[in-house]
Amino acid sequence: MLDTVFRARRAITTVGESARSIGIRDGRIVAIEPLDAPLEATRVIELGDDVVLMPGLVDTHVHINEPGRTEWEGFETATRAAAAGGVTTVIDMPLNSIPATTTVEALEIKRKSASGAVFVDTGFWGGAVPGNVDDLRPLHDAGVFGFKCFLLHSGVDEFQPLSSAELEQYLGQLQDFGALMIVHAENSDAIDRAPAADGERYRKFLASRPRGAENMAIAEVIEAARYTRARVHILHLSSSDALPMLASAKRDGVLITVETCPHYLSFTSESIPDGATQFKCCPPIRESSNRELLWEGLRDGVIDVIVSDHSPSTPELKRFDIGDFGVAWGGISSLQLGLRAVWSQARTHGLTLVDVAEFMAARTANLAGLTRKGRIALGYDADLCLFAPDEAAVVSAASLEHKHAITPYDGMALAGVVRETWLAGEPIDLAAPPRGRLLRRGDV
């Protein structure tokens, strides 16, 4: 006798979309059978033709900011938003919280803050900053999923960037024990020489973060990875100019993966109003021609995954009072909306919901080494998203679950509606106490 059987006329499994019965016992998927298979269960759920049973999404780029900046976001509100958006696993970034996750002691402080407060399963990245090279292996052994570094100022003083020499040194250390370095790749010298970003005009802000800064930094990461043979991952790719050299590096056997984000795939610089600082992020949203080339990079396999880079702040830090891109905090709030935003664009760019699940669940789980997440497959956690892809709804920022009612998607009509999100074989009830787990690398 199974705990639950889903009878889904549309289920996304490892062989694509088809009609299947999915059996669950003790929080795991234990049966994948034809739709009419005689599976017995305590609970049988019949899904209509309008609902697709998808794997729960795995978002490996989320800034939760707790402790220290909990007024920006927190574990409870962020993971509520994740659950409402079909995300069942998040991995929290090591900066914007105080202390930053650059030591084992700081990691334990963060775990204590998250304990009992997460609605979805939650893991943690470690930080790589000047002076903590000896902390990398202890953090790895304590269960972080890899390490994040910046190649320019991060925006917060407690998380300083690595120099070129430090990047190679740290990659050499990580290569010794097979750990992953994820990199915010923008060149600080190029940005220092660019025009200032002050004022309301988005065009001025875009000029202050030129593609060349991103391209130069990515080239540096490629060569450092080639030399050290370490695993590297390029965060939030916005410059399509970098796609040819990334493709070349992959052909050469450099151990490099690449992500982009829903906002780079959805918005264009030409459509951003002056003063609309809810659109500010670094690297910036670029031109419509650039957006189309990013979609081509996904289709070609150069870009591996799509993640939210949910990076919220208080309304005051967004400086809506003056609309000045030069002083407003840079970060897009979108954790609850990633699936809908990507699907709205993917369906017009020749991609299917199977492709979306691959980019936002299966491959993101692979990136972090989550071997029981991101797929509807035997032995995997029964983390599921019930998604109605042909419905549509207008986004209301005030109705979102994250802490502040700020998002550039406010007022947009997006395709798809998340009907339910299931974690470990049970629906997530946002009115009940949180029951997400804190994950350690190697445990899952």
PDB file of all heavy atoms in Angstrom, residues 130-167:
ATOM      1  N   PRO A 130      39.041  37.362   0.696  1.00  0.00           N
ATOM      2  CA  PRO A 130      40.451  37.461   1.067  1.00  0.00           C
ATOM      3  C   PRO A 130      40.676  37.072   2.524  1.00  0.00           C
ATOM      4  O   PRO A 130      39.954  37.518   3.426  1.00  0.00           O
ATOM      5  CB  PRO A 130      40.773  38.945   0.831  1.00  0.00           C
ATOM      6  CG  PRO A 130      39.810  39.374  -0.229  1.00  0.00           C
ATOM      7  CD  PRO A 130      38.551  38.608   0.057  1.00  0.00           C
ATOM      8  N   GLY A 131      41.646  36.181   2.742  1.00  0.00           N
ATOM      9  CA  GLY A 131      42.016  35.809   4.099  1.00  0.00           C
ATOM     10  C   GLY A 131      41.345  34.573   4.651  1.00  0.00           C
ATOM     11  O   GLY A 131      41.693  34.137   5.749  1.00  0.00           O
ATOM     12  N   ASN A 132      40.381  33.970   3.890  1.00  0.00           N
ATOM     13  CA  ASN A 132      39.720  32.794   4.470  1.00  0.00           C
ATOM     14  C   ASN A 132      40.042  31.509   3.715  1.00  0.00           C
ATOM     15  O   ASN A 132      39.280  30.543   3.781  1.00  0.00           O
ATOM     16  CB  ASN A 132      38.203  33.009   4.590  1.00  0.00           C
ATOM     17  CG  ASN A 132      37.428  32.655   3.327  1.00  0.00           C
ATOM     18  OD1 ASN A 132      37.909  32.865   2.213  1.00  0.00           O
ATOM     19  ND2 ASN A 132      36.220  32.119   3.498  1.00  0.00           N
ATOM     20  N   VAL A 133      41.172  31.471   3.039  1.00  0.00           N
ATOM     21  CA  VAL A 133      41.523  30.274   2.279  1.00  0.00           C
ATOM     22  C   VAL A 133      41.604  29.044   3.180  1.00  0.00           C
ATOM     23  O   VAL A 133      41.252  27.925   2.758  1.00  0.00           O
ATOM     24  CB  VAL A 133      42.833  30.488   1.491  1.00  0.00           C
ATOM     25  CG1 VAL A 133      44.037  30.609   2.428  1.00  0.00           C
ATOM     26  CG2 VAL A 133      43.052  29.381   0.470  1.00  0.00           C
ATOM     27  N   ASP A 134      42.027  29.231   4.427  1.00  0.00           N
ATOM     28  CA  ASP A 134      42.112  28.089   5.340  1.00  0.00           C
ATOM     29  C   ASP A 134      40.753  27.655   5.883  1.00  0.00           C
ATOM     30  O   ASP A 134      40.650  26.615   6.536  1.00  0.00           O
ATOM     31  CB  ASP A 134      43.055  28.420   6.504  1.00  0.00           C
ATOM     32  CG  ASP A 134      44.502  28.562   6.067  1.00  0.00           C
ATOM     33  OD1 ASP A 134      44.869  27.939   5.044  1.00  0.00           O
ATOM     34  OD2 ASP A 134      45.256  29.299   6.717  1.00  0.00           O
ATOM     35  N   ASP A 135      39.712  28.444   5.623  1.00  0.00           N
ATOM     36  CA  ASP A 135      38.366  28.088   6.064  1.00  0.00           C
ATOM     37  C   ASP A 135      37.616  27.270   5.019  1.00  0.00           C
ATOM     38  O   ASP A 135      36.523  26.755   5.312  1.00  0.00           O
ATOM     39  CB  ASP A 135      37.560  29.355   6.368  1.00  0.00           C
ATOM     40  CG  ASP A 135      38.088  30.098   7.572  1.00  0.00           C
ATOM     41  OD1 ASP A 135      38.035  29.531   8.676  1.00  0.00           O
ATOM     42  OD2 ASP A 135      38.560  31.246   7.407  1.00  0.00           O
ATOM     43  N   LEU A 136      38.164  27.160   3.801  1.00  0.00           N
ATOM     44  CA  LEU A 136      37.414  26.519   2.725  1.00  0.00           C
ATOM     45  C   LEU A 136      37.163  25.043   3.015  1.00  0.00           C
ATOM     46  O   LEU A 136      36.025  24.562   2.915  1.00  0.00           O
ATOM     47  CB  LEU A 136      38.147  26.689   1.388  1.00  0.00           C
ATOM     48  CG  LEU A 136      38.420  28.134   0.942  1.00  0.00           C
ATOM     49  CD1 LEU A 136      39.126  28.133  -0.417  1.00  0.00           C
ATOM     50  CD2 LEU A 136      37.141  28.953   0.882  1.00  0.00           C
ATOM     51  N   ARG A 137      38.201  24.299   3.356  1.00  0.00           N
ATOM     52  CA  ARG A 137      38.006  22.872   3.595  1.00  0.00           C
ATOM     53  C   ARG A 137      37.103  22.618   4.809  1.00  0.00           C
ATOM     54  O   ARG A 137      36.212  21.757   4.742  1.00  0.00           O
ATOM     55  CB  ARG A 137      39.356  22.167   3.755  1.00  0.00           C
ATOM     56  CG  ARG A 137      39.218  20.629   3.895  1.00  0.00           C
ATOM     57  CD  ARG A 137      38.487  20.032   2.690  1.00  0.00           C
ATOM     58  NE  ARG A 137      38.143  18.637   2.835  1.00  0.00           N
ATOM     59  CZ  ARG A 137      38.837  17.634   2.295  1.00  0.00           C
ATOM     60  NH1 ARG A 137      39.928  17.882   1.585  1.00  0.00           N
ATOM     61  NH2 ARG A 137      38.448  16.392   2.446  1.00  0.00           N
ATOM     62  N   PRO A 138      37.268  23.329   5.930  1.00  0.00           N
ATOM     63  CA  PRO A 138      36.339  23.121   7.039  1.00  0.00           C
ATOM     64  C   PRO A 138      34.878  23.420   6.671  1.00  0.00           C
ATOM     65  O   PRO A 138      33.968  22.687   7.087  1.00  0.00           O
ATOM     66  CB  PRO A 138      36.851  24.070   8.124  1.00  0.00           C
ATOM     67  CG  PRO A 138      38.310  24.200   7.846  1.00  0.00           C
ATOM     68  CD  PRO A 138      38.413  24.172   6.347  1.00  0.00           C
ATOM     69  N   LEU A 139      34.650  24.460   5.889  1.00  0.00           N
ATOM     70  CA  LEU A 139      33.287  24.753   5.441  1.00  0.00           C
ATOM     71  C   LEU A 139      32.762  23.645   4.541  1.00  0.00           C
ATOM     72  O   LEU A 139      31.605  23.227   4.652  1.00  0.00           O
ATOM     73  CB  LEU A 139      33.255  26.096   4.707  1.00  0.00           C
ATOM     74  CG  LEU A 139      33.150  27.351   5.570  1.00  0.00           C
ATOM     75  CD1 LEU A 139      33.512  28.585   4.767  1.00  0.00           C
ATOM     76  CD2 LEU A 139      31.751  27.505   6.160  1.00  0.00           C
ATOM     77  N   HIS A 140      33.610  23.163   3.640  1.00  0.00           N
ATOM     78  CA  HIS A 140      33.230  22.039   2.762  1.00  0.00           C
ATOM     79  C   HIS A 140      32.845  20.828   3.596  1.00  0.00           C
ATOM     80  O   HIS A 140      31.805  20.195   3.349  1.00  0.00           O
ATOM     81  CB  HIS A 140      34.411  21.720   1.847  1.00  0.00           C
ATOM     82  CG  HIS A 140      34.205  20.550   0.946  1.00  0.00           C
ATOM     83  ND1 HIS A 140      33.476  20.613  -0.222  1.00  0.00           N
ATOM     84  CD2 HIS A 140      34.647  19.265   1.040  1.00  0.00           C
ATOM     85  CE1 HIS A 140      33.469  19.426  -0.807  1.00  0.00           C
ATOM     86  NE2 HIS A 140      34.175  18.597  -0.068  1.00  0.00           N
ATOM     87  N   ASP A 141      33.662  20.510   4.593  1.00  0.00           N
ATOM     88  CA  ASP A 141      33.381  19.353   5.444  1.00  0.00           C
ATOM     89  C   ASP A 141      32.128  19.566   6.287  1.00  0.00           C
ATOM     90  O   ASP A 141      31.466  18.594   6.685  1.00  0.00           O
ATOM     91  CB  ASP A 141      34.578  19.060   6.342  1.00  0.00           C
ATOM     92  CG  ASP A 141      35.784  18.571   5.563  1.00  0.00           C
ATOM     93  OD1 ASP A 141      35.620  18.158   4.396  1.00  0.00           O
ATOM     94  OD2 ASP A 141      36.904  18.616   6.118  1.00  0.00           O
ATOM     95  N   ALA A 142      31.784  20.841   6.559  1.00  0.00           N
ATOM     96  CA  ALA A 142      30.581  21.152   7.338  1.00  0.00           C
ATOM     97  C   ALA A 142      29.315  21.133   6.491  1.00  0.00           C
ATOM     98  O   ALA A 142      28.221  21.299   7.033  1.00  0.00           O
ATOM     99  CB  ALA A 142      30.730  22.507   8.013  1.00  0.00           C
ATOM    100  N   GLY A 143      29.465  20.944   5.168  1.00  0.00           N
ATOM    101  CA  GLY A 143      28.288  20.703   4.346  1.00  0.00           C
ATOM    102  C   GLY A 143      27.840  21.798   3.419  1.00  0.00           C
ATOM    103  O   GLY A 143      26.746  21.696   2.843  1.00  0.00           O
ATOM    104  N   VAL A 144      28.651  22.874   3.206  1.00  0.00           N
ATOM    105  CA  VAL A 144      28.243  23.846   2.192  1.00  0.00           C
ATOM    106  C   VAL A 144      28.331  23.209   0.814  1.00  0.00           C
ATOM    107  O   VAL A 144      29.072  22.250   0.596  1.00  0.00           O
ATOM    108  CB  VAL A 144      29.089  25.131   2.257  1.00  0.00           C
ATOM    109  CG1 VAL A 144      28.955  25.810   3.598  1.00  0.00           C
ATOM    110  CG2 VAL A 144      30.556  24.871   1.906  1.00  0.00           C
ATOM    111  N   PHE A 145      27.573  23.753  -0.125  1.00  0.00           N
ATOM    112  CA  PHE A 145      27.474  23.145  -1.451  1.00  0.00           C
ATOM    113  C   PHE A 145      28.511  23.676  -2.431  1.00  0.00           C
ATOM    114  O   PHE A 145      28.566  23.232  -3.585  1.00  0.00           O
ATOM    115  CB  PHE A 145      26.062  23.349  -2.000  1.00  0.00           C
ATOM    116  CG  PHE A 145      25.058  22.447  -1.338  1.00  0.00           C
ATOM    117  CD1 PHE A 145      24.470  22.813  -0.142  1.00  0.00           C
ATOM    118  CD2 PHE A 145      24.732  21.221  -1.878  1.00  0.00           C
ATOM    119  CE1 PHE A 145      23.563  21.970   0.491  1.00  0.00           C
ATOM    120  CE2 PHE A 145      23.836  20.371  -1.259  1.00  0.00           C
ATOM    121  CZ  PHE A 145      23.245  20.753  -0.067  1.00  0.00           C
ATOM    122  N   GLY A 146      29.352  24.573  -1.993  1.00  0.00           N
ATOM    123  CA  GLY A 146      30.384  25.175  -2.820  1.00  0.00           C
ATOM    124  C   GLY A 146      30.661  26.558  -2.285  1.00  0.00           C
ATOM    125  O   GLY A 146      30.224  26.912  -1.170  1.00  0.00           O
ATOM    126  N   PHE A 147      31.364  27.370  -3.065  1.00  0.00           N
ATOM    127  CA  PHE A 147      31.850  28.661  -2.574  1.00  0.00           C
ATOM    128  C   PHE A 147      31.609  29.751  -3.598  1.00  0.00           C
ATOM    129  O   PHE A 147      31.832  29.557  -4.792  1.00  0.00           O
ATOM    130  CB  PHE A 147      33.348  28.565  -2.261  1.00  0.00           C
ATOM    131  CG  PHE A 147      33.639  27.572  -1.178  1.00  0.00           C
ATOM    132  CD1 PHE A 147      33.858  26.237  -1.486  1.00  0.00           C
ATOM    133  CD2 PHE A 147      33.639  27.958   0.156  1.00  0.00           C
ATOM    134  CE1 PHE A 147      34.096  25.308  -0.486  1.00  0.00           C
ATOM    135  CE2 PHE A 147      33.876  27.025   1.160  1.00  0.00           C
ATOM    136  CZ  PHE A 147      34.105  25.705   0.837  1.00  0.00           C
ATOM    137  N   LYS A 148      31.166  30.908  -3.085  1.00  0.00           N
ATOM    138  CA  LYS A 148      30.941  32.061  -3.951  1.00  0.00           C
ATOM    139  C   LYS A 148      32.037  33.094  -3.739  1.00  0.00           C
ATOM    140  O   LYS A 148      32.445  33.378  -2.611  1.00  0.00           O
ATOM    141  CB  LYS A 148      29.589  32.705  -3.649  1.00  0.00           C
ATOM    142  CG  LYS A 148      29.308  33.922  -4.546  1.00  0.00           C
ATOM    143  CD  LYS A 148      27.932  34.519  -4.309  1.00  0.00           C
ATOM    144  CE  LYS A 148      27.677  35.633  -5.321  1.00  0.00           C
ATOM    145  NZ  LYS A 148      26.314  36.188  -5.199  1.00  0.00           N
ATOM    146  N   CYS A 149      32.480  33.682  -4.862  1.00  0.00           N
ATOM    147  CA  CYS A 149      33.397  34.815  -4.779  1.00  0.00           C
ATOM    148  C   CYS A 149      32.943  35.912  -5.729  1.00  0.00           C
ATOM    149  O   CYS A 149      32.188  35.678  -6.668  1.00  0.00           O
ATOM    150  CB  CYS A 149      34.832  34.404  -5.086  1.00  0.00           C
ATOM    151  SG  CYS A 149      35.154  34.054  -6.835  1.00  0.00           S
ATOM    152  N   PHE A 150      33.413  37.102  -5.468  1.00  0.00           N
ATOM    153  CA  PHE A 150      33.237  38.271  -6.334  1.00  0.00           C
ATOM    154  C   PHE A 150      34.587  38.660  -6.916  1.00  0.00           C
ATOM    155  O   PHE A 150      35.625  38.474  -6.273  1.00  0.00           O
ATOM    156  CB  PHE A 150      32.683  39.455  -5.537  1.00  0.00           C
ATOM    157  CG  PHE A 150      31.189  39.456  -5.369  1.00  0.00           C
ATOM    158  CD1 PHE A 150      30.576  38.567  -4.503  1.00  0.00           C
ATOM    159  CD2 PHE A 150      30.393  40.358  -6.067  1.00  0.00           C
ATOM    160  CE1 PHE A 150      29.205  38.567  -4.332  1.00  0.00           C
ATOM    161  CE2 PHE A 150      29.017  40.370  -5.904  1.00  0.00           C
ATOM    162  CZ  PHE A 150      28.422  39.472  -5.042  1.00  0.00           C
ATOM    163  N   LEU A 151      34.552  39.252  -8.094  1.00  0.00           N
ATOM    164  CA  LEU A 151      35.763  39.817  -8.696  1.00  0.00           C
ATOM    165  C   LEU A 151      35.740  41.339  -8.679  1.00  0.00           C
ATOM    166  O   LEU A 151      36.611  41.984  -9.270  1.00  0.00           O
ATOM    167  CB  LEU A 151      35.924  39.301 -10.130  1.00  0.00           C
ATOM    168  CG  LEU A 151      36.018  37.774 -10.265  1.00  0.00           C
ATOM    169  CD1 LEU A 151      36.285  37.384 -11.710  1.00  0.00           C
ATOM    170  CD2 LEU A 151      37.090  37.198  -9.349  1.00  0.00           C
ATOM    171  N   LEU A 152      34.725  41.919  -8.026  1.00  0.00           N
ATOM    172  CA  LEU A 152      34.644  43.350  -7.771  1.00  0.00           C
ATOM    173  C   LEU A 152      33.880  43.530  -6.476  1.00  0.00           C
ATOM    174  O   LEU A 152      33.387  42.552  -5.903  1.00  0.00           O
ATOM    175  CB  LEU A 152      33.961  44.085  -8.922  1.00  0.00           C
ATOM    176  CG  LEU A 152      32.418  44.060  -8.993  1.00  0.00           C
ATOM    177  CD1 LEU A 152      31.939  45.019 -10.061  1.00  0.00           C
ATOM    178  CD2 LEU A 152      31.857  42.685  -9.235  1.00  0.00           C
ATOM    179  N   HIS A 153      33.767  44.759  -5.991  1.00  0.00           N
ATOM    180  CA  HIS A 153      33.100  44.980  -4.711  1.00  0.00           C
ATOM    181  C   HIS A 153      31.680  44.430  -4.758  1.00  0.00           C
ATOM    182  O   HIS A 153      30.933  44.665  -5.710  1.00  0.00           O
ATOM    183  CB  HIS A 153      33.074  46.471  -4.367  1.00  0.00           C
ATOM    184  CG  HIS A 153      32.732  46.744  -2.935  1.00  0.00           C
ATOM    185  ND1 HIS A 153      31.430  46.783  -2.483  1.00  0.00           N
ATOM    186  CD2 HIS A 153      33.520  46.960  -1.856  1.00  0.00           C
ATOM    187  CE1 HIS A 153      31.421  47.021  -1.188  1.00  0.00           C
ATOM    188  NE2 HIS A 153      32.675  47.146  -0.774  1.00  0.00           N
ATOM    189  N   SER A 154      31.303  43.715  -3.711  1.00  0.00           N
ATOM    190  CA  SER A 154      30.022  43.010  -3.698  1.00  0.00           C
ATOM    191  C   SER A 154      28.841  43.916  -3.386  1.00  0.00           C
ATOM    192  O   SER A 154      27.686  43.507  -3.569  1.00  0.00           O
ATOM    193  CB  SER A 154      30.072  41.897  -2.650  1.00  0.00           C
ATOM    194  OG  SER A 154      30.124  42.448  -1.336  1.00  0.00           O
ATOM    195  N   GLY A 155      29.114  45.108  -2.887  1.00  0.00           N
ATOM    196  CA  GLY A 155      28.043  45.980  -2.431  1.00  0.00           C
ATOM    197  C   GLY A 155      27.933  46.020  -0.929  1.00  0.00           C
ATOM    198  O   GLY A 155      27.308  46.925  -0.366  1.00  0.00           O
ATOM    199  N   VAL A 156      28.533  45.031  -0.237  1.00  0.00           N
ATOM    200  CA  VAL A 156      28.579  45.030   1.234  1.00  0.00           C
ATOM    201  C   VAL A 156      30.030  44.826   1.662  1.00  0.00           C
ATOM    202  O   VAL A 156      30.743  43.980   1.126  1.00  0.00           O
ATOM    203  CB  VAL A 156      27.662  43.939   1.837  1.00  0.00           C
ATOM    204  CG1 VAL A 156      26.186  44.271   1.586  1.00  0.00           C
ATOM    205  CG2 VAL A 156      27.978  42.558   1.296  1.00  0.00           C
ATOM    206  N   ASP A 157      30.455  45.603   2.627  1.00  0.00           N
ATOM    207  CA  ASP A 157      31.875  45.635   2.976  1.00  0.00           C
ATOM    208  C   ASP A 157      32.372  44.354   3.626  1.00  0.00           C
ATOM    209  O   ASP A 157      33.568  44.065   3.592  1.00  0.00           O
ATOM    210  CB  ASP A 157      32.157  46.818   3.902  1.00  0.00           C
ATOM    211  CG  ASP A 157      32.040  48.153   3.178  1.00  0.00           C
ATOM    212  OD1 ASP A 157      32.164  48.166   1.935  1.00  0.00           O
ATOM    213  OD2 ASP A 157      31.805  49.180   3.853  1.00  0.00           O
ATOM    214  N   GLU A 158      31.468  43.574   4.231  1.00  0.00           N
ATOM    215  CA  GLU A 158      31.906  42.357   4.908  1.00  0.00           C
ATOM    216  C   GLU A 158      32.165  41.203   3.949  1.00  0.00           C
ATOM    217  O   GLU A 158      32.555  40.112   4.376  1.00  0.00           O
ATOM    218  CB  GLU A 158      30.899  41.935   5.983  1.00  0.00           C
ATOM    219  CG  GLU A 158      29.535  41.518   5.456  1.00  0.00           C
ATOM    220  CD  GLU A 158      28.562  42.672   5.291  1.00  0.00           C
ATOM    221  OE1 GLU A 158      28.979  43.844   5.464  1.00  0.00           O
ATOM    222  OE2 GLU A 158      27.386  42.396   4.993  1.00  0.00           O
ATOM    223  N   PHE A 159      31.983  41.420   2.639  1.00  0.00           N
ATOM    224  CA  PHE A 159      32.247  40.360   1.656  1.00  0.00           C
ATOM    225  C   PHE A 159      33.087  40.964   0.533  1.00  0.00           C
ATOM    226  O   PHE A 159      32.578  41.441  -0.472  1.00  0.00           O
ATOM    227  CB  PHE A 159      30.924  39.791   1.109  1.00  0.00           C
ATOM    228  CG  PHE A 159      31.040  38.398   0.557  1.00  0.00           C
ATOM    229  CD1 PHE A 159      30.730  37.296   1.335  1.00  0.00           C
ATOM    230  CD2 PHE A 159      31.471  38.178  -0.754  1.00  0.00           C
ATOM    231  CE1 PHE A 159      30.836  35.998   0.824  1.00  0.00           C
ATOM    232  CE2 PHE A 159      31.581  36.904  -1.272  1.00  0.00           C
ATOM    233  CZ  PHE A 159      31.253  35.810  -0.478  1.00  0.00           C
ATOM    234  N   GLN A 160      34.413  40.940   0.735  1.00  0.00           N
ATOM    235  CA  GLN A 160      35.346  41.594  -0.185  1.00  0.00           C
ATOM    236  C   GLN A 160      35.672  40.696  -1.385  1.00  0.00           C
ATOM    237  O   GLN A 160      35.582  39.463  -1.295  1.00  0.00           O
ATOM    238  CB  GLN A 160      36.628  41.961   0.559  1.00  0.00           C
ATOM    239  CG  GLN A 160      36.441  43.064   1.591  1.00  0.00           C
ATOM    240  CD  GLN A 160      36.095  44.403   0.965  1.00  0.00           C
ATOM    241  OE1 GLN A 160      36.681  44.794  -0.039  1.00  0.00           O
ATOM    242  NE2 GLN A 160      35.112  45.083   1.539  1.00  0.00           N
ATOM    243  N   PRO A 161      36.082  41.293  -2.514  1.00  0.00           N
ATOM    244  CA  PRO A 161      36.379  40.505  -3.714  1.00  0.00           C
ATOM    245  C   PRO A 161      37.760  39.868  -3.668  1.00  0.00           C
ATOM    246  O   PRO A 161      38.654  40.322  -2.948  1.00  0.00           O
ATOM    247  CB  PRO A 161      36.305  41.540  -4.834  1.00  0.00           C
ATOM    248  CG  PRO A 161      36.702  42.828  -4.171  1.00  0.00           C
ATOM    249  CD  PRO A 161      36.146  42.744  -2.772  1.00  0.00           C
ATOM    250  N   LEU A 162      37.907  38.813  -4.479  1.00  0.00           N
ATOM    251  CA  LEU A 162      39.210  38.194  -4.668  1.00  0.00           C
ATOM    252  C   LEU A 162      39.961  38.892  -5.803  1.00  0.00           C
ATOM    253  O   LEU A 162      39.367  39.268  -6.816  1.00  0.00           O
ATOM    254  CB  LEU A 162      39.064  36.711  -5.011  1.00  0.00           C
ATOM    255  CG  LEU A 162      38.411  35.797  -3.973  1.00  0.00           C
ATOM    256  CD1 LEU A 162      38.407  34.357  -4.481  1.00  0.00           C
ATOM    257  CD2 LEU A 162      39.109  35.886  -2.624  1.00  0.00           C
ATOM    258  N   SER A 163      41.268  39.013  -5.646  1.00  0.00           N
ATOM    259  CA  SER A 163      42.125  39.483  -6.742  1.00  0.00           C
ATOM    260  C   SER A 163      42.352  38.331  -7.721  1.00  0.00           C
ATOM    261  O   SER A 163      41.992  37.175  -7.451  1.00  0.00           O
ATOM    262  CB  SER A 163      43.467  39.952  -6.193  1.00  0.00           C
ATOM    263  OG  SER A 163      44.187  38.836  -5.653  1.00  0.00           O
ATOM    264  N   SER A 164      42.965  38.629  -8.856  1.00  0.00           N
ATOM    265  CA  SER A 164      43.266  37.582  -9.838  1.00  0.00           C
ATOM    266  C   SER A 164      44.165  36.505  -9.238  1.00  0.00           C
ATOM    267  O   SER A 164      43.934  35.303  -9.448  1.00  0.00           O
ATOM    268  CB  SER A 164      43.935  38.204 -11.063  1.00  0.00           C
ATOM    269  OG  SER A 164      43.062  39.105 -11.704  1.00  0.00           O
ATOM    270  N   ALA A 165      45.166  36.921  -8.482  1.00  0.00           N
ATOM    271  CA  ALA A 165      46.064  35.944  -7.864  1.00  0.00           C
ATOM    272  C   ALA A 165      45.328  35.108  -6.824  1.00  0.00           C
ATOM    273  O   ALA A 165      45.531  33.886  -6.730  1.00  0.00           O
ATOM    274  CB  ALA A 165      47.259  36.662  -7.232  1.00  0.00           C
ATOM    275  N   GLU A 166      44.477  35.747  -6.034  1.00  0.00           N
ATOM    276  CA  GLU A 166      43.708  34.996  -5.037  1.00  0.00           C
ATOM    277  C   GLU A 166      42.737  34.031  -5.691  1.00  0.00           C
ATOM    278  O   GLU A 166      42.536  32.911  -5.194  1.00  0.00           O
ATOM    279  CB  GLU A 166      42.954  35.967  -4.127  1.00  0.00           C
ATOM    280  CG  GLU A 166      43.861  36.714  -3.162  1.00  0.00           C
ATOM    281  CD  GLU A 166      43.159  37.864  -2.472  1.00  0.00           C
ATOM    282  OE1 GLU A 166      42.241  38.473  -3.076  1.00  0.00           O
ATOM    283  OE2 GLU A 166      43.536  38.177  -1.321  1.00  0.00           O
ATOM    284  N   LEU A 167      42.128  34.434  -6.812  1.00  0.00           N
ATOM    285  CA  LEU A 167      41.209  33.534  -7.507  1.00  0.00           C
ATOM    286  C   LEU A 167      41.923  32.240  -7.882  1.00  0.00           C
ATOM    287  O   LEU A 167      41.415  31.139  -7.623  1.00  0.00           O
ATOM    288  CB  LEU A 167      40.642  34.209  -8.758  1.00  0.00           C
ATOM    289  CG  LEU A 167      39.750  33.336  -9.638  1.00  0.00           C
ATOM    290  CD1 LEU A 167      38.483  32.925  -8.908  1.00  0.00           C
ATOM    291  CD2 LEU A 167      39.413  34.052 -10.948  1.00  0.00           C
TER     292      LEU A 167
END
